[in-house]
Structures are given as C-alpha cells and as structure tokens.
Amino acid sequence: MGLAARILEQAPTEDFRDMIHDEVDKWVDQIIDDVFEDGKEPTIMELSQLFSETKQKFFGACFQALIEQKYAGLLEQEYAPCPQCGKMCKKRRDHLKEIVTMQGPSALKRPWFYCVNCSYGFLPLDKTLEISRKKNQFDVQKKATRTAAEVPFSSGSELFAELTNHSVSDHFMHDTFEQVGEYACLEDVIPSNQEIAARCQEVTESSWRPVLVVASDGAHVPTRLKAKRNEKRGKGQWQEAKGFRIYLVGKDRIVHLASWHQIQNEEQFGEDLSFVASRIQQANLRIGLLGDGADWLWKHMVACFPKGRQILDYFHCAEHIHKVAKLQYGEKSQKCLEWVESTITRLFYSEVDNVIWGLQRMRPRDSLAKEEIRKLIGYLQNNRERIHYRGDRIGGYPIGSGGIESANKFICHTRMKRSGAWWVKETGNAMLRIRCAIYNGTYEKVFEKYKKTQITL
Ligand SMILES: [Zn+2]
C-alpha cells in the first residue's frame, strides 16, 4: 500500500496526531534558532520568557487543528437546514474567523449559509462551538471580567497580559464587563431557594437553631453623569449605594448567604430585600436585624423579616458615644475614658433611659458639645428598643458589623473608592452586581446567562 492510500485510511485521531506533530516541529525549529545559536547561554528567566512568547502561537495552532479534525463534518458541510424554517440551504461561501482563546490565536474557515425564505444567514459551526462574535472568545471574556471586578480597567488589562501573556485592551475589558453586568440581575446574583435551603441545613444542628443575620447599610460612592461624545466629563456627585448582607451564624461558624448592593433609592432597596426574603424559609430560623440608625433600612428590614430581633450596630453606637466624650471631656483624658466605659457598660445592660437621663443633665462644655449631646439623645431615643447587647450575646446574636460583617465595605469600597474613580451610575451598579455575584458564588451562573444571549443572537 502506498503512503497516500495509507493516510487516506487513517483514523481521524491519527490525522490530528500528524497535524500536532507538524506544529511541534515548527515550534522546535523556532526554539532551536533562538536558543542554540553559538555562544548563547540563556538563563531560566530568559528561557521561560521565550516559552511564554511562543506557546500562544503554538497552542493556538494545535487548538485549531483539533477543531478542524473534530468538526471536519461541519467544516465541509455543503447543505444545512435553516434554523428558522427548516429548508435545506446550500453553502454560499467560506467565512474566515480569527478567534483568540486562552490558548492563543486560531483561525477557522467555516461555511456560511443563507436562507432566501427567511433572509437569514447562519453558521452551524458557530452554534455548536459557541463561538463569540467578539474575537476574544468566552473563556477570555470570563477571565477578563473577573479581573476587572478586582482592579481598574487600565491596570487590569496590563495585569492580564502580564500574567497570561495574552493582551486584551482596556476598552475590550470595559465593554465586556458592562455587557456581562447587564445580565447580572438580582434573580441570578442571589443564590436559588434550594441553594439557600442547603446552606441553612448545613449550619442547623439538633441543639442549635442558627441565627439568620440581615445587616443593611449605605456606602457613599463617587458618581458622575455619563458624558456625551466630545463633551467634558459630567460633574461628580456622591451617591449612596444601599445594600445588605445576609448570613447564618452557626454554632462555630458563619455561612454567607447573599450580598446585594446598588446605587438606588430606598424604595428599590426595599423591593430587592423583599425579593431575597421570599427565597428564605424563615420559619425555623432565629433572625437578627443589624443596622445603624438610618430609618430607611429599619423600615424595610422589619417589613421583610417581621419576627427579626432588631439590633443597633454596636460599633456605630459606640462611635457616637466617643464623639460626645471627645468634645465634652477632651480626647484621651481620664474623664473621657471613664465616661465612655461606664456609658457603654450601661448600654450593654440595656440601661438606655439611664444614659439618656445622664446626658440630659450634662453641662455642655461648648456649643459643639451641646449639639453632639443633643444628637446622641435623639439617636438613643430613636433606637431605644434596639439596644440590648447583653441579651444579644447570650442568645448568640451578633451585635455589630465589625470584622466578617463588613462585606458592604469590602464589596463597595475596595473597588469603587479608588482615588480618581468617578462612576457612571450604570457602570457602578454593574460593578456592584458582579462583585456581589463573585462573593455569593453565583458568577458562573451569571456568566452563563450572558453567554447564552450572545450565542442565540
Ligand atoms: Zn429559512
């Protein structure tokens, strides 16, 4: 049997093997040229750099060979049924598409069909392979978006190139991020009923009824209006991102359930909280509601979790006490420390009226002190029913949003408050939604949803 005949009879996997061997040879030639020149003694770093620079092209070519073999049928297809009416259509021409995956650049020449009945052009291979219309494919888009959720777009694209030897523009990063963000809706960013039930089950032990904690707060985010083309950037303005974090306190651990933050008004905040509350089986849980003194968050937390125990954030409360002490007695004076300690102790034992009584009898040192004392009295009167820290401790309820509870700060501040960053509201909210998805463990789901919409278009 001649060579040609033998090749014809080869299994497709053997063809693939041959194609890869060709690519290996090309790559080896390149390495030989670079490394084995007379007198050269490259170091580890130089050799590693050479691999980094050449492997994208090498793997991209292997990747292409794999597709060409695996999908030879689709690539050589002459007729295909119209996805809309089912009529058999003849191939019009081959369409070359350059794609980039995390493996490197590849090119696919695939048949393009057109149905005259429907005036509809289609590419069967694209549907099967889930090819993105962008040059950078979904695997790149997914990692780029994940990167942009952590660092600014410009340094994100630099970092991405540095770590993956794969350059993407900050423009691509920004665009893709916004598009993925559009599909990150509350329904998907929040874990499903089943997922929430499973996490509740995880912390329920026979002797311990877990505490579901709902902690709400607002964080100020620097925003600006979107500028029109050729127009100067809009004027900056601070807006409040309102959000909540819901988690379970088990006997010896904390299990996160859901975070959600958006630059939005309190009405929308209430609607979102109510939606998330509807995914939680409240009956078998003890519930603690945690917040600072802002009325809007209490109104909605109580409406959504009516049997929740209301707890005024201890640290926020203590901050008010410190402020008065500083103005009245002077920072770090003995009297200041003593007063703070005794006041906080009394609040710990729910002696709110006692503290208010004392404040009312205090002789303000000056007008500043007077104003702060007046504010503290109002604050304590407003939140009287929410101060019972000793009882909270005994019941296993958290009393403050320090440490683990500060997800709001983690989600909002670390990415949103970088110096010089002013967010267009829509982009800022997309950023918050994607950061929440990552934190909630739902980013996969969100990205899948985005991907599906891009393929069926
Ligand atoms: Zn058709």
Side-chain angles (χ1 to χ4, degrees), residues 82 84-85 115 117-118:
C82 166
Q84 296 195 345
C85 71
C115 174
N117 285 2
C118 309

Side-chain angles (χ1 to χ4, degrees), residues 46 64 103 138 141 146 174 179 181 184 186 217 226 232 245 307 325 346-347 378 406 432 455:
E46 286 162 352
Q64 183 176 329
Q103 309 316 319
F138 292 118
Q141 294 175 33
R146 181 70 183 78
H174 189 276
Q179 287 162 8
L186 179 65
D217 80 2
K226 193 168 189 163
K232 265 185 85 179
R245 181 186 178 209
K307 64 167 197 166
R346 277 185 283 170
L347 290 181
S406 63
L432 288 168
I455 295 164

Side-chain angles (χ1 to χ4, degrees), residues 355-395:
V355 172
I356 294 173
W357 188 83
L359 283 166
Q360 283 164 340
R361 267 141 205 85
M362 209 176 235
R363 276 208 199 126
R365 189 165 86 169
D366 54 26
S367 58
L368 276 176
K370 188 177 174 186
E371 176 59 11
E372 264 331 296
I373 292 167
R374 187 192 65 78
K375 282 204 287 203
L376 180 58
I377 291 170
Y379 177 78
L380 292 173
Q381 280 169 339
N382 261 340
N383 294 288
R384 177 189 267 120
E385 307 303 324
R386 301 179 182 130
I387 300 172
H388 30 54
Y389 299 120
R390 187 163 176 271
D392 301 330
R393 271 284 161 79
I394 292 169

Side-chain angles (χ1 to χ4, degrees), residues 17-27 58:
R17 196 184 302 278
D18 289 344
M19 289 164 91
I20 297 295
H21 284 165
D22 285 349
E23 293 307 326
V24 173
D25 281 339
K26 282 188 218 162
W27 181 72
F58 170 54

